[in-house]
Amino acid sequence: MIRTLATTALLLASTGIATANDLETAIDQFLAPPGYERVDIEALEQSLQDYWLDTTTISPGGAVGPIEKALLIATGAIPSERTRTALAYGELYDEQHGRLSFIELRHYNMGPAIRDMAIEAYGADSTADASEFGEGEHLGWRFVFMPLMGNTAVLVDAARTVIDPDIAYDQDCTGRPCMDLDYPFDAIADWAETDMSAPHWPRQYPESDGLIATPAHAAAELAVISWSANVESGAYQWTGGERPESADYFHPWRFIGIDRNLGQEAAIDAVWQETQLMDDSLSAMAFRRLELPGATYWFSAATPR
């Protein structure tokens, strides 16, 4: 569904309750950190239309969750397929419109860093051109989604920034230096391999690039494993999971990291972290999905109180 800023403003104003202004204020605050600029959400929504496979339904892509949509937009914005992604998810509740998703996503092109390592190891004459390693800027995104008229996640507003390469080296990505290729997910938790697997469901967008899952599909499978989505009806449905009682404003409690094609072979390694758990014995849980061509491995970890 195509949304415009004007239509969104009218929609938010139509609540007729005190939280309408609070919600608009929260959105403005979330989308306005230094360096971020509002983007055309109509153009972003149109870009998503190209992904939907369920085009015969009333609302193509209607069941796709906000995290998947954010990942589809971000991964489509740069050509590089050697990327590292850090996503932080929070929510606000509006009495009329339900749970609004506030997503910060930083998407890094790791191609140049990998090429620099190759040059150091093999020499410039034996290393392919930069275009072979992946091109594109490091981009930061902020999205607000909400459920509306049969759509699980309609884009309400968004902002974007270009991340300076020097700043990128100082940023944190799911507990690791964003630009340091020597930090896989192995060290961020005490992982235990499990025999879990994600169920199959009718696809609403391409799930694979031919060798490994797309970042959006990897996140969707993790959403099911972490009880933030289900396929009980036979179709995928984002539910959002349980919002912690201790969650403050739109500040995040759910964190996702994705490494894609950072080694010598195709691979996608994705981690989903749930924090601030309402549990007497656990404060956080994490789930990990590691895929190589032809094989997918699952891990989990828990943080006791």
Side-chain angles (χ1 to χ4, degrees):
M1 177 178 294
I2 304 302
R3 304 283 297 162
T4 64
L5 291 175
T7 305
T8 301
L10 289 172
L11 179 64
L12 294 175
S14 71
T15 58
I17 54 179
T19 56
N21 288 334
D22 295 341
L23 186 57
E24 289 185 84
T25 298
I27 292 173
D28 286 340
Q29 290 176 348
F30 179 70
L31 297 179
Y36 278 77
E37 296 183 359
R38 293 298 231 284
V39 296
D40 183 352
I41 62 169
E42 184 173 332
L44 292 184
E45 283 281 11
Q46 185 59 52
S47 71
L48 287 172
Q49 305 306 308
D50 296 334
Y51 291 105
W52 306 144
L53 303 177
D54 55 340
T55 55
T56 60
T57 63
I58 296 175
S59 299
V64 178
I67 289 174
E68 296 158 84
K69 286 189 174 181
L71 286 167
L72 287 170
I73 291 171
T75 55
I78 65 171
S80 178
E81 295 184 352
R82 299 177 184 269
T83 58
R84 173 168 283 169
T85 306
L87 185 151
Y89 177 95
E91 285 183 354
L92 279 180
Y93 180 81
D94 172 71
E95 291 183 12
Q96 181 169 341
H97 302 110
R99 299 165 68 172
L100 279 80
S101 303
F102 287 69
I103 296 173
E104 179 195 3
L105 188 158
R106 288 173 286 120
H107 191 58
Y108 300 87
N109 173 21
M110 305 300 288
I114 294 172
R115 184 172 185 267
D116 287 344
M117 290 182 62
I119 290 174
E120 184 176 348
Y122 307 111
D125 292 340
S126 301
T127 302
D129 292 339
S131 60
E132 297 295 320
F133 284 83
E135 298 180 314
E137 297 174 304
H138 308 315
L139 296 179
W141 296 86
R142 292 201 171 203
F143 303 99
V144 180
F145 294 92
M146 74 176 182
L148 178 70
M149 298 173 61
N151 288 267
T152 300
V154 169
L155 184 60
V156 175
D157 213 338
R160 194 184 87 160
T161 190
V162 175
I163 301 172
D164 184 277
D166 292 336
I167 294 176
Y169 275 93
D170 294 328
Q171 293 182 320
D172 178 87
C173 286
T174 326
R176 307 164 303 154
C178 289
M179 300 304 296
D180 195 330
L181 293 164
D182 292 328
Y183 281 84
F185 287 120
D186 297 354
I188 71 168
D190 186 13
W191 298 109
E193 189 169 358
T194 72
D195 59 0
M196 68 176 68
S197 62
H200 293 281
W201 60 83
R203 304 310 183 199
Q204 298 181 85
Y205 52 84
E207 65 182 73
S208 169
D209 64 6
L211 291 175
I212 55 173
T214 61
H217 181 64
E221 289 197 346
L222 283 165
V224 173
I225 294 298
S226 65
W227 308 289
S228 294
N230 67 64
V231 290
E232 294 172 0
S233 66
Y236 177 88
Q237 183 61 57
W238 167 264
T239 63
E242 190 174 52
R243 184 178 190 269
E245 292 180 355
S246 59
D248 178 36
Y249 204 37
F250 52 65
H251 299 146
W253 76 88
R254 177 176 293 145
F255 302 91
I256 297 165
I258 302 175
D259 285 357
R260 182 175 54 150
N261 296 329
L262 300 189
Q264 293 185 346
E265 61 180 323
I268 184 165
D269 196 358
V271 166
W272 184 294
Q273 298 173 315
E274 295 281 331
T275 68
Q276 303 182 46
L277 295 183
M278 294 182 288
D279 186 277
D280 292 337
S281 59
L282 298 178
S283 63
M285 291 190 67
F287 305 90
R288 182 180 180 186
R289 179 192 186 280
L290 170 61
E291 182 182 357
L292 306 173
T296 302
Y297 305 91
W298 294 89
F299 306 84
S300 64
T303 303
R305 289 197 179 279

